[in-house]
Amino acid sequence: LDMCAAPGGKSLVLAEAIGEKGHLVCNEMSHSRRGRLLKVIKEYVPHDIGMKSITVTGYDGTQYRKVARGVHIGSFDAVLVDAPCSSERHLLHDMQEMMTWTPKRTRQNA
């Protein structure tokens, strides 16, 4: 399970490593990012392999177990979570940036 799969680079690496001997679930909660993920998978994974060995879902990772019924629950060998960050670490070092910060900015970046 690639929990925060978009834009798809890590998923491509995982799909190549798994090949046809396993199944990869790529989860991305954001609709627009999930669209990019699907585009990357369709572009770079051979159609016959992608259709049978990759599933793309759009669940909230914090609620995955509750909402993803029937999607391989409890049967993952590994879970990758490369959670999106708010990109705000630079605020600690740049007072001008800190002055422009708002809670809305954090929600948009996360």
Side-chain angles (χ1 to χ4, degrees):
L1 169 63
D2 186 354
M3 185 60 78
C4 305
K10 295 177 303 298
S11 295
L12 290 178
V13 172
L14 292 171
E16 184 176 14
I18 292 170
E20 294 184 52
K21 64 180 180 255
H23 192 86
L24 175 62
V25 177
C26 302
N27 185 68
E28 178 56 53
M29 188 172 95
S30 165
H31 179 73
S32 60
R33 290 176 55 85
R34 192 168 52 256
R36 174 70 178 133
L37 171 65
L38 285 164
K39 183 179 176 188
V40 166
I41 290 171
K42 287 177 184 175
E43 242 176 83
Y44 295 101
V45 176
H47 181 73
D48 57 327
I49 295 172
M51 294 304 291
K52 63 182 176 187
S53 60
I54 299 174
T55 300
V56 176
T57 59
Y59 301 115
D60 178 342
T62 64
Q63 302 295 313
Y64 196 89
R65 187 170 180 84
K66 293 178 187 175
V67 297
R69 301 197 190 290
V71 185
H72 312 288
I73 295 301
S75 62
F76 296 112
D77 294 324
V79 177
L80 171 64
V81 180
D82 183 11
C85 71
S86 64
S87 302
E88 293 179 331
R89 181 164 171 72
H90 68 281
L91 294 175
L92 299 173
H93 305 288
D94 188 337
M95 188 51 73
Q96 244 181 331
E97 283 291 320
M98 180 63 106
M99 299 296 281
T100 64
W101 178 86
T102 65
K104 182 180 178 183
R105 185 171 160 188
T106 299
R107 286 190 297 276
Q108 287 174 331
N109 289 336

XYZ file of all heavy atoms in Angstrom:
850
model
N 0.852 -1.186 0.000
C 0.000 0.000 0.000
C 0.887 1.234 0.000
O 1.732 1.399 0.873
C -0.904 -0.005 1.237
C -1.677 1.280 1.546
C -2.668 1.618 0.429
C -2.400 1.153 2.874
N 0.704 2.073 -1.015
C 1.343 3.385 -1.050
C 0.263 4.360 -0.613
O -0.650 4.674 -1.381
C 1.855 3.688 -2.461
C 2.653 4.985 -2.545
O 2.733 5.716 -1.541
O 3.198 5.260 -3.626
N 0.332 4.808 0.642
C -0.768 5.551 1.253
C -0.965 6.950 0.667
O -2.087 7.405 0.526
C -0.558 5.644 2.767
C -1.700 6.286 3.506
S -3.274 5.437 3.326
C -3.076 4.086 4.441
N 0.100 7.658 0.365
C 0.018 9.015 -0.198
C 0.739 8.981 -1.542
O 1.850 9.480 -1.681
C 0.653 10.026 0.749
S -0.029 10.000 2.421
N 0.128 8.379 -2.533
C 0.825 7.919 -3.719
C 1.173 8.983 -4.763
O 2.111 8.801 -5.526
C 0.011 6.808 -4.382
N 0.413 10.048 -4.852
C 0.684 11.042 -5.901
C 1.984 11.788 -5.625
O 2.368 11.938 -4.467
C -0.476 12.033 -5.983
N 2.686 12.186 -6.657
C 2.304 12.147 -8.065
C 2.574 10.816 -8.763
O 2.160 10.630 -9.897
C 3.139 13.263 -8.694
C 4.358 13.356 -7.849
C 3.899 12.992 -6.455
N 3.246 9.869 -8.126
C 3.341 8.535 -8.705
C 4.728 7.952 -8.858
O 4.852 6.784 -9.216
N 5.753 8.720 -8.619
C 7.117 8.214 -8.787
C 7.422 7.009 -7.921
O 7.955 5.994 -8.400
N 7.076 7.079 -6.649
C 7.330 5.954 -5.739
C 6.482 4.747 -6.141
O 6.929 3.612 -6.096
C 7.034 6.358 -4.296
C 7.949 7.440 -3.757
C 7.570 7.863 -2.363
C 6.162 8.360 -2.198
N 5.763 9.549 -2.935
N 5.266 5.018 -6.573
C 4.385 3.923 -6.996
C 4.957 3.192 -8.204
O 4.854 1.967 -8.298
C 2.993 4.466 -7.330
O 2.377 4.990 -6.182
N 5.565 3.939 -9.126
C 6.183 3.294 -10.292
C 7.324 2.380 -9.874
O 7.443 1.262 -10.387
C 6.701 4.344 -11.275
C 5.659 5.151 -12.019
C 6.323 6.181 -12.921
C 4.740 4.253 -12.826
N 8.135 2.840 -8.934
C 9.245 2.022 -8.435
C 8.697 0.768 -7.761
O 9.187 -0.344 -7.987
C 10.141 2.826 -7.474
C 11.166 1.933 -6.800
C 10.825 3.969 -8.212
N 7.670 0.935 -6.933
C 7.063 -0.213 -6.256
C 6.441 -1.186 -7.258
O 6.596 -2.405 -7.138
C 6.002 0.260 -5.254
C 6.515 1.027 -4.049
C 5.356 1.629 -3.272
C 7.350 0.139 -3.158
N 5.739 -0.644 -8.253
C 5.096 -1.496 -9.256
C 6.137 -2.309 -10.021
O 5.933 -3.496 -10.287
C 4.273 -0.649 -10.221
N 7.254 -1.682 -10.336
C 8.308 -2.409 -11.047
C 8.901 -3.508 -10.177
O 9.156 -4.615 -10.634
C 9.406 -1.438 -11.488
C 10.482 -2.117 -12.310
C 11.528 -1.148 -12.846
O 11.582 0.003 -12.388
O 12.292 -1.574 -13.718
N 9.099 -3.205 -8.895
C 9.669 -4.200 -7.977
C 8.709 -5.372 -7.758
O 9.131 -6.524 -7.708
C 10.012 -3.544 -6.639
N 7.427 -5.078 -7.667
C 6.424 -6.120 -7.433
C 6.188 -6.931 -8.695
O 6.008 -8.143 -8.650
C 5.095 -5.493 -6.933
C 5.287 -4.902 -5.541
C 3.974 -6.520 -6.941
C 4.113 -4.065 -5.066
N 6.164 -6.245 -9.828
C 5.899 -6.923 -11.092
C 4.533 -7.562 -11.116
O 3.586 -7.055 -10.527
N 4.439 -8.699 -11.762
C 3.151 -9.394 -11.877
C 2.898 -10.365 -10.728
O 1.863 -11.013 -10.680
C 3.090 -10.133 -13.210
C 3.081 -9.189 -14.394
C 2.929 -9.915 -15.706
O 1.975 -10.721 -15.829
O 3.764 -9.689 -16.591
N 3.850 -10.448 -9.789
C 3.699 -11.418 -8.707
C 2.956 -10.876 -7.482
O 2.740 -11.591 -6.525
C 5.073 -11.940 -8.281
C 5.981 -10.882 -7.691
C 7.329 -11.466 -7.285
C 8.209 -10.393 -6.700
N 9.259 -9.938 -7.556
N 2.561 -9.622 -7.519
C 1.861 -9.043 -6.382
C 0.845 -8.021 -6.830
O 0.541 -7.891 -8.015
N 0.314 -7.286 -5.864
C -0.682 -6.259 -6.143
C -0.331 -5.013 -5.358
O -0.018 -5.090 -4.169
C -2.081 -6.747 -5.758
C -3.150 -5.853 -6.283
N -3.678 -5.995 -7.538
C -3.756 -4.783 -5.737
C -4.584 -5.053 -7.745
N -4.648 -4.308 -6.652
N -0.387 -3.872 -6.013
C -0.073 -2.592 -5.390
C -1.341 -1.758 -5.302
O -2.040 -1.575 -6.302
C 0.978 -1.846 -6.218
C 1.336 -0.429 -5.763
C 1.943 -0.431 -4.361
C 2.300 0.201 -6.763
N -1.642 -1.253 -4.097
C -2.743 -0.320 -3.911
C -2.129 1.064 -3.734
O -1.306 1.274 -2.839
C -3.615 -0.688 -2.689
C -4.710 0.351 -2.482
C -4.220 -2.074 -2.869
N -2.500 1.974 -4.604
C -2.006 3.352 -4.564
C -3.149 4.233 -4.080
O -4.149 4.391 -4.780
C -1.562 3.810 -5.946
S -0.289 2.790 -6.694
N -3.010 4.805 -2.918
C -4.057 5.626 -2.341
C -3.650 7.096 -2.398
O -2.529 7.451 -2.036
C -4.313 5.213 -0.886
C -5.476 5.975 -0.295
O -6.615 5.777 -0.703
N -5.197 6.858 0.644
N -4.568 7.935 -2.838
C -4.348 9.382 -2.837
C -5.682 10.063 -2.570
O -6.616 9.932 -3.358
C -3.776 9.850 -4.176
C -3.576 11.345 -4.264
C -2.709 11.917 -3.158
O -1.581 11.420 -2.946
O -3.172 12.861 -2.477
N -5.770 10.769 -1.468
C -7.019 11.392 -1.053
C -7.428 12.556 -1.964
O -8.596 12.728 -2.278
C -6.901 11.880 0.390
C -8.196 12.362 0.982
S -8.046 12.697 2.733
C -7.715 14.441 2.694
N -6.480 13.352 -2.412
C -6.770 14.534 -3.224
C -7.221 14.118 -4.630
O -6.515 13.396 -5.335
C -5.525 15.417 -3.325
O -5.660 16.365 -4.366
N -8.379 14.596 -5.022
C -8.923 14.256 -6.336
C -7.984 14.693 -7.463
O -7.714 13.915 -8.386
C -10.303 14.886 -6.508
C -10.925 14.604 -7.828
N -11.421 13.368 -8.163
C -11.105 15.391 -8.913
C -11.891 13.401 -9.392
N -11.713 14.616 -9.877
N -7.483 15.924 -7.394
C -6.618 16.419 -8.469
C -5.288 15.666 -8.498
O -4.778 15.317 -9.567
C -6.388 17.922 -8.334
O -5.764 18.237 -7.108
N -4.717 15.385 -7.333
C -3.461 14.631 -7.277
C -3.678 13.178 -7.722
O -2.835 12.579 -8.356
C -2.862 14.694 -5.871
C -2.323 16.087 -5.525
C -1.820 16.177 -4.095
N -0.820 15.202 -3.750
C 0.496 15.333 -3.963
N 0.961 16.417 -4.547
N 1.336 14.388 -3.585
N -4.849 12.631 -7.402
C -5.165 11.268 -7.832
C -5.259 11.207 -9.360
O -4.826 10.238 -9.984
C -6.470 10.792 -7.185
C -6.736 9.326 -7.338
C -7.869 8.823 -6.458
N -9.116 9.553 -6.561
C -9.574 10.428 -5.663
N -8.895 10.680 -4.563
N -10.712 11.061 -5.838
N -5.771 12.260 -9.971
C -5.815 12.329 -11.425
C -4.422 12.292 -12.025
O -4.170 11.597 -13.015
N -3.497 13.020 -11.421
C -2.103 13.009 -11.880
C -1.497 11.622 -11.701
O -0.800 11.116 -12.574
C -1.304 14.060 -11.114
C 0.170 14.046 -11.383
C 0.502 14.531 -12.787
N 1.946 14.532 -12.964
C 2.558 14.035 -14.020
N 1.874 13.538 -15.010
N 3.866 14.056 -14.097
N -1.785 10.990 -10.574
C -1.298 9.640 -10.304
C -1.787 8.657 -11.371
O -1.011 7.869 -11.909
C -1.765 9.196 -8.914
C -1.554 7.750 -8.524
C -0.075 7.417 -8.433
C -2.254 7.463 -7.198
N -3.065 8.713 -11.689
C -3.623 7.826 -12.713
C -2.960 8.070 -14.066
O -2.665 7.115 -14.803
C -5.133 8.034 -12.825
C -5.953 7.434 -11.687
C -7.362 8.005 -11.676
C -5.992 5.921 -11.802
N -2.722 9.321 -14.385
C -2.064 9.654 -15.651
C -0.658 9.052 -15.709
O -0.263 8.466 -16.721
C -1.999 11.169 -15.822
C -1.395 11.601 -17.120
C -1.377 13.110 -17.249
C -0.671 13.499 -18.540
N -0.451 14.924 -18.642
N 0.091 9.175 -14.617
C 1.448 8.628 -14.562
C 1.415 7.104 -14.707
O 2.195 6.529 -15.463
C 2.158 9.046 -13.252
C 3.419 8.243 -13.009
C 2.482 10.536 -13.290
N 0.503 6.456 -14.005
C 0.402 4.990 -14.089
C 0.057 4.565 -15.515
O 0.679 3.660 -16.072
C -0.618 4.445 -13.071
C -0.062 4.609 -11.648
C -0.957 2.987 -13.364
C -1.060 4.319 -10.548
N -0.916 5.235 -16.121
C -1.315 4.884 -17.488
C -0.190 5.128 -18.492
O -0.045 4.399 -19.465
C -2.559 5.665 -17.888
C -3.811 5.171 -17.219
C -5.016 6.000 -17.582
C -6.223 5.520 -16.799
N -7.394 6.371 -17.025
N 0.607 6.184 -18.248
C 1.696 6.527 -19.154
C 2.875 5.568 -19.075
O 3.503 5.258 -20.071
C 2.204 7.942 -18.823
C 2.037 8.932 -19.940
C 2.474 10.315 -19.508
O 3.691 10.592 -19.565
O 1.595 11.105 -19.131
N 3.200 5.116 -17.862
C 4.455 4.400 -17.653
C 4.337 2.916 -17.328
O 5.329 2.201 -17.376
C 5.280 5.091 -16.565
C 5.724 6.465 -16.981
C 5.070 7.597 -16.531
C 6.805 6.625 -17.849
C 5.475 8.860 -16.930
C 7.215 7.887 -18.246
C 6.539 8.999 -17.789
O 6.934 10.248 -18.185
N 3.163 2.454 -16.971
C 2.997 1.029 -16.651
C 2.278 0.369 -17.824
O 1.223 0.855 -18.249
C 2.178 0.842 -15.348
C 1.930 -0.630 -15.072
C 2.881 1.496 -14.171
N 2.833 -0.717 -18.350
C 2.140 -1.413 -19.444
C 0.700 -1.730 -19.058
O 0.426 -2.181 -17.938
C 2.965 -2.699 -19.630
C 4.323 -2.340 -19.119
C 4.084 -1.374 -17.990
N -0.214 -1.485 -19.976
C -1.647 -1.591 -19.701
C -2.043 -2.943 -19.107
O -2.792 -2.994 -18.132
C -2.448 -1.333 -20.979
C -3.923 -1.399 -20.803
N -4.621 -0.410 -20.150
C -4.822 -2.340 -21.172
C -5.900 -0.743 -20.129
N -6.057 -1.904 -20.740
N -1.537 -4.033 -19.653
C -1.932 -5.360 -19.168
C -1.457 -5.598 -17.739
O -2.133 -6.262 -16.961
C -1.433 -6.462 -20.091
C 0.074 -6.444 -20.289
O 0.665 -5.352 -20.288
O 0.656 -7.530 -20.451
N -0.318 -5.043 -17.374
C 0.181 -5.193 -15.995
C -0.571 -4.258 -15.058
O -1.038 -4.658 -14.000
C 1.698 -4.918 -15.923
C 2.454 -5.978 -16.716
C 2.173 -4.876 -14.469
C 3.932 -5.694 -16.869
N -0.723 -3.009 -15.458
C -1.376 -2.015 -14.613
C -2.800 -2.360 -14.266
O -3.236 -2.187 -13.129
N -3.537 -2.879 -15.227
C -4.943 -3.187 -14.999
C -5.156 -4.312 -13.997
O -6.134 -4.324 -13.284
C -5.629 -3.545 -16.327
C -5.711 -2.394 -17.303
S -6.548 -0.934 -16.632
C -8.209 -1.541 -16.507
N -4.224 -5.262 -13.938
C -4.456 -6.389 -13.036
C -3.647 -6.327 -11.755
O -3.960 -7.031 -10.805
C -4.209 -7.715 -13.752
C -2.801 -7.935 -14.223
C -2.706 -9.264 -14.956
C -1.315 -9.433 -15.522
N -1.188 -10.593 -16.365
N -2.632 -5.482 -11.681
C -1.795 -5.504 -10.480
C -1.722 -4.173 -9.735
O -1.008 -4.067 -8.748
C -0.388 -5.985 -10.821
O 0.209 -5.120 -11.767
N -2.473 -3.158 -10.182
C -2.482 -1.874 -9.484
C -3.920 -1.411 -9.296
O -4.710 -1.414 -10.239
C -1.702 -0.795 -10.268
C -0.240 -1.198 -10.431
C -1.804 0.559 -9.559
C 0.565 -0.266 -11.316
N -4.247 -1.013 -8.073
C -5.548 -0.428 -7.764
C -5.304 0.967 -7.213
O -4.436 1.146 -6.353
C -6.297 -1.264 -6.694
O -6.482 -2.592 -7.187
C -7.638 -0.655 -6.350
N -6.057 1.948 -7.686
C -5.949 3.315 -7.178
C -7.199 3.624 -6.372
O -8.320 3.420 -6.839
C -5.775 4.327 -8.328
C -5.765 5.760 -7.786
C -4.489 4.048 -9.100
N -7.001 4.100 -5.148
C -8.110 4.464 -4.272
C -7.963 5.920 -3.836
O -6.902 6.525 -4.012
C -8.158 3.555 -3.029
O -6.919 3.675 -2.309
C -8.389 2.104 -3.398
N -9.008 6.469 -3.241
C -9.001 7.876 -2.846
C -9.474 8.108 -1.425
O -10.267 9.017 -1.179
N -8.996 7.316 -0.507
C -9.463 7.405 0.877
C -8.581 8.307 1.745
O -7.395 8.468 1.478
C -9.506 6.012 1.510
C -10.398 5.053 0.771
C -9.871 3.934 0.147
C -11.762 5.274 0.679
C -10.681 3.048 -0.542
C -12.582 4.398 -0.011
C -12.041 3.291 -0.614
O -12.839 2.419 -1.301
N -9.165 8.830 2.785
C -8.423 9.556 3.812
C -7.581 8.515 4.552
O -8.121 7.566 5.111
C -9.409 10.235 4.764
C -8.761 10.978 5.912
O -7.567 10.744 6.226
O -9.458 11.798 6.533
N -6.268 8.686 4.534
C -5.377 7.712 5.153
C -5.640 7.479 6.619
O -5.433 6.376 7.126
N -6.141 8.501 7.314
C -6.410 8.333 8.747
C -7.658 7.480 8.992
O -7.864 7.005 10.090
C -6.586 9.695 9.456
O -7.746 10.368 8.925
C -5.357 10.567 9.298
N -8.467 7.293 7.956
C -9.692 6.508 8.073
C -9.674 5.267 7.177
O -10.696 4.609 7.007
C -10.898 7.382 7.674
C -11.052 8.634 8.483
C -11.344 8.341 9.934
O -12.206 7.513 10.241
N -10.650 8.991 10.831
N -8.526 4.956 6.609
C -8.434 3.915 5.584
C -9.053 2.598 6.020
O -9.837 2.001 5.299
C -6.974 3.705 5.171
C -6.835 2.958 3.877
C -6.805 3.642 2.681
C -6.758 1.575 3.850
C -6.692 2.971 1.469
C -6.654 0.900 2.643
C -6.623 1.603 1.466
O -6.528 0.939 0.283
N -8.710 2.161 7.198
C -9.201 0.853 7.661
C -10.728 0.819 7.765
O -11.364 -0.186 7.487
C -8.566 0.504 8.995
C -8.886 -0.891 9.468
C -8.028 -1.270 10.664
N -8.321 -2.594 11.112
C -7.802 -3.704 10.612
N -6.948 -3.628 9.626
N -8.116 -4.881 11.082
N -11.320 1.957 8.134
C -12.778 2.009 8.286
C -13.504 2.083 6.951
O -14.574 1.497 6.799
C -13.169 3.241 9.110
C -12.734 3.197 10.540
C -13.139 4.480 11.238
C -12.575 4.552 12.636
N -12.877 5.843 13.265
N -12.943 2.816 5.993
C -13.684 3.096 4.765
C -13.310 2.218 3.586
O -14.074 2.112 2.628
C -13.546 4.578 4.354
C -14.144 5.491 5.401
C -12.100 4.938 4.081
N -12.175 1.580 3.606
C -11.703 0.817 2.448
C -12.097 -0.650 2.521
O -11.326 -1.526 2.167
C -10.189 0.966 2.320
N -13.278 -0.908 2.941
C -13.737 -2.293 3.061
C -13.622 -3.012 1.710
O -14.006 -2.493 0.687
C -15.175 -2.324 3.529
C -15.349 -1.648 4.869
C -16.659 -2.032 5.501
N -16.955 -1.237 6.664
C -16.312 -1.303 7.820
N -15.308 -2.131 7.964
N -16.662 -0.551 8.838
N -13.070 -4.204 1.754
C -12.938 -4.996 0.551
C -11.723 -4.654 -0.303
O -11.540 -5.221 -1.355
N -10.899 -3.732 0.139
C -9.712 -3.349 -0.639
C -8.478 -3.882 0.074
O -7.660 -3.150 0.586
C -9.625 -1.817 -0.813
C -8.470 -1.447 -1.731
C -10.919 -1.263 -1.387
N -8.375 -5.170 0.158
C -7.181 -5.830 0.703
C -6.895 -5.474 2.158
O -5.753 -5.481 2.573
C -5.955 -5.510 -0.151
C -6.198 -5.694 -1.607
N -6.319 -6.929 -2.181
C -6.360 -4.795 -2.608
C -6.545 -6.787 -3.472
N -6.580 -5.522 -3.759
N -7.894 -5.147 2.928
C -7.678 -4.774 4.320
C -7.020 -5.923 5.072
O -7.448 -7.063 5.015
C -9.006 -4.387 5.014
C -9.569 -3.118 4.373
C -8.837 -4.202 6.503
C -8.662 -1.920 4.443
N -5.954 -5.586 5.768
C -5.264 -6.560 6.597
C -4.316 -7.466 5.855
O -3.712 -8.349 6.449
N -4.173 -7.272 4.549
C -3.328 -8.187 3.799
C -2.128 -7.507 3.141
O -1.558 -8.045 2.210
C -4.159 -8.896 2.730
O -4.672 -7.962 1.810
N -1.733 -6.346 3.619
C -0.581 -5.659 3.039
C 0.706 -6.192 3.640
O 0.826 -6.360 4.845
C -0.674 -4.149 3.292
C -1.853 -3.503 2.633
C -2.886 -2.997 3.394
C -1.937 -3.411 1.258
C -3.979 -2.403 2.799
C -3.028 -2.827 0.647
C -4.049 -2.314 1.416
N 1.678 -6.445 2.788
C 3.005 -6.826 3.268
C 3.745 -5.620 3.816
O 4.586 -5.748 4.699
C 3.829 -7.451 2.141
C 3.250 -8.778 1.682
O 2.741 -9.527 2.540
O 3.298 -9.062 0.476
N 3.455 -4.449 3.251
C 4.121 -3.219 3.689
C 3.238 -2.025 3.360
O 2.414 -2.083 2.448
C 5.473 -3.067 2.999
N 3.415 -0.960 4.129
C 2.709 0.295 3.886
C 3.747 1.408 3.799
O 4.578 1.566 4.698
C 1.706 0.610 5.025
C 1.035 1.961 4.802
C 0.666 -0.495 5.152
N 3.695 2.163 2.702
C 4.577 3.311 2.515
C 3.763 4.571 2.750
O 2.704 4.748 2.131
C 5.148 3.327 1.094
C 5.917 4.579 0.694
C 7.177 4.739 1.537
C 6.259 4.544 -0.780
N 4.235 5.417 3.654
C 3.589 6.707 3.887
C 4.652 7.785 3.754
O 5.500 7.942 4.627
C 2.925 6.797 5.288
C 2.279 8.163 5.478
C 1.910 5.693 5.473
N 4.602 8.492 2.649
C 5.454 9.651 2.439
C 4.489 10.827 2.424
O 4.105 11.329 1.374
C 6.215 9.518 1.119
C 7.188 10.666 0.890
O 7.430 11.440 1.830
O 7.690 10.785 -0.239
N 4.049 11.199 3.621
C 2.972 12.178 3.764
C 3.371 13.550 3.240
O 4.498 13.988 3.447
C 2.570 12.282 5.234
N 2.437 14.198 2.551
C 2.718 15.558 2.093
C 2.999 16.472 3.285
O 2.391 16.333 4.333
C 1.420 15.990 1.409
C 0.676 14.735 1.136
C 1.098 13.755 2.176
N 3.930 17.360 3.094
C 4.242 18.290 4.174
C 3.670 19.658 3.849
O 3.226 19.920 2.740
C 5.751 18.377 4.402
S 6.626 19.232 3.092
N 3.690 20.545 4.813
C 3.157 21.883 4.614
C 4.180 22.816 3.987
O 3.870 23.960 3.697
C 2.698 22.456 5.960
O 3.818 22.603 6.812
N 5.415 22.355 3.791
C 6.484 23.155 3.176
C 6.771 24.435 3.952
O 7.112 25.446 3.365
C 6.122 23.499 1.727
O 5.895 22.359 0.983
N 6.630 24.388 5.257
C 6.769 25.615 6.038
C 8.020 25.677 6.901
O 8.193 26.622 7.646
C 5.527 25.811 6.901
C 4.307 26.081 6.056
C 3.062 26.265 6.860
O 2.959 25.682 7.954
O 2.183 26.986 6.391
N 8.908 24.738 6.805
C 10.122 24.774 7.610
C 10.925 26.046 7.364
O 11.530 26.594 8.272
C 10.991 23.552 7.344
C 12.253 23.555 8.177
C 12.900 22.190 8.200
N 14.193 22.199 8.802
C 14.436 22.353 10.095
N 13.440 22.534 10.933
N 15.656 22.340 10.564
N 10.903 26.540 6.131
C 11.649 27.756 5.810
C 11.181 28.964 6.611
O 11.912 29.926 6.767
C 11.582 28.047 4.306
C 10.213 28.437 3.842
N 9.227 27.513 3.612
C 9.687 29.648 3.591
C 8.138 28.153 3.225
N 8.379 29.439 3.202
N 9.966 28.921 7.145
C 9.454 30.039 7.948
C 10.307 30.289 9.192
O 10.414 31.421 9.654
C 8.008 29.785 8.380
C 6.969 29.753 7.275
C 5.623 29.373 7.848
C 6.896 31.068 6.543
N 10.911 29.223 9.703
C 11.738 29.362 10.900
C 12.979 30.208 10.648
O 13.564 30.748 11.576
C 12.168 27.981 11.405
C 11.042 27.041 11.804
C 11.606 25.666 12.109
C 10.277 27.596 12.986
N 13.363 30.329 9.396
C 14.611 31.017 9.063
C 14.402 32.299 8.267
O 15.375 32.962 7.917
C 15.516 30.071 8.260
C 15.759 28.787 8.968
N 16.564 28.679 10.085
C 15.262 27.545 8.745
C 16.561 27.437 10.508
N 15.778 26.723 9.717
N 13.157 32.639 7.951
C 12.888 33.810 7.135
C 11.742 34.611 7.748
O 10.575 34.283 7.571
C 12.539 33.361 5.714
C 12.433 34.517 4.740
O 12.201 35.671 5.173
O 12.571 34.264 3.531
N 12.094 35.685 8.455
C 11.089 36.478 9.166
C 10.078 37.105 8.208
O 8.900 37.217 8.534
C 11.766 37.564 10.002
C 10.797 38.298 10.915
S 9.760 37.232 11.959
C 10.931 36.673 13.147
N 10.507 37.479 7.010
C 9.577 38.058 6.042
C 8.505 37.047 5.644
O 7.323 37.393 5.559
C 10.335 38.517 4.791
C 10.261 40.000 4.587
C 10.992 40.415 3.324
O 11.949 39.785 2.884
N 10.531 41.491 2.750
N 8.917 35.820 5.410
C 7.956 34.758 5.097
C 7.028 34.510 6.283
O 5.842 34.275 6.111
C 8.670 33.463 4.710
C 9.224 33.461 3.320
C 8.145 33.427 2.259
O 7.134 32.713 2.431
O 8.299 34.130 1.262
N 7.581 34.551 7.476
C 6.787 34.324 8.686
C 5.670 35.368 8.805
O 4.570 35.057 9.227
C 7.682 34.353 9.926
C 6.944 34.131 11.213
S 6.191 32.504 11.289
C 7.290 31.726 12.415
N 5.956 36.577 8.382
C 4.967 37.657 8.475
C 3.792 37.441 7.508
O 2.714 37.962 7.733
C 5.634 39.007 8.181
C 6.759 39.354 9.159
S 6.196 39.555 10.840
C 5.526 41.183 10.758
N 4.000 36.663 6.456
C 2.927 36.427 5.483
C 2.160 35.138 5.763
O 1.183 34.837 5.079
C 3.491 36.369 4.042
O 4.359 35.240 3.931
C 4.224 37.651 3.691
N 2.592 34.390 6.752
C 1.977 33.099 7.049
C 0.551 33.275 7.569
O 0.236 34.182 8.321
C 2.807 32.358 8.100
C 2.198 31.039 8.474
C 2.379 29.862 7.847
C 1.276 30.801 9.542
N 1.640 28.889 8.453
C 0.948 29.430 9.497
C 0.691 31.594 10.517
C 0.063 28.846 10.395
C -0.193 31.014 11.418
C -0.485 29.649 11.351
N -0.342 32.359 7.154
C -1.712 32.285 7.677
C -2.086 30.810 7.824
O -1.516 29.954 7.138
C -2.730 32.937 6.711
O -2.769 32.173 5.501
C -2.382 34.394 6.414
N -3.034 30.504 8.707
C -3.477 29.100 8.827
C -4.005 28.551 7.498
O -3.827 27.375 7.188
C -4.587 29.166 9.877
C -4.266 30.370 10.697
C -3.659 31.355 9.716
N -4.638 29.396 6.685
C -5.159 28.952 5.384
C -4.022 28.445 4.494
O -4.180 27.458 3.777
C -5.883 30.112 4.704
C -6.489 29.739 3.372
C -7.200 30.918 2.747
C -7.743 30.524 1.382
N -8.372 31.651 0.721
N -2.887 29.105 4.570
C -1.730 28.695 3.765
C -1.287 27.269 4.136
O -0.960 26.472 3.257
C -0.603 29.694 3.982
C 0.594 29.462 3.125
C 1.533 30.627 3.265
N 2.872 30.259 2.853
C 3.906 31.019 3.003
N 3.819 32.204 3.538
N 5.100 30.624 2.595
N -1.298 26.954 5.402
C -0.926 25.610 5.848
C -1.915 24.582 5.303
O -1.518 23.535 4.802
C -0.889 25.541 7.384
O 0.080 26.454 7.854
C -0.558 24.148 7.870
N -3.200 24.869 5.383
C -4.218 23.919 4.879
C -4.052 23.702 3.375
O -4.207 22.584 2.895
C -5.619 24.432 5.200
C -6.006 24.289 6.658
C -7.491 24.583 6.872
N -7.854 25.950 6.541
C -7.730 26.985 7.350
N -7.229 26.840 8.562
N -8.104 28.192 6.969
N -3.726 24.761 2.633
C -3.577 24.639 1.189
C -2.336 23.813 0.836
O -2.350 23.069 -0.141
C -3.451 26.014 0.541
C -4.750 26.763 0.530
C -4.596 28.191 0.025
O -3.542 28.806 0.169
N -5.635 28.712 -0.571
N -1.273 23.959 1.591
C -0.012 23.263 1.282
C 0.003 21.815 1.752
O 0.766 21.019 1.239
C 1.185 23.994 1.895
C 1.477 25.294 1.194
O 1.129 25.469 0.039
N 2.116 26.201 1.891
N -0.791 21.497 2.747
C -0.739 20.153 3.333
C -1.477 19.146 2.476
O -2.288 19.444 1.676
C -1.331 20.163 4.733
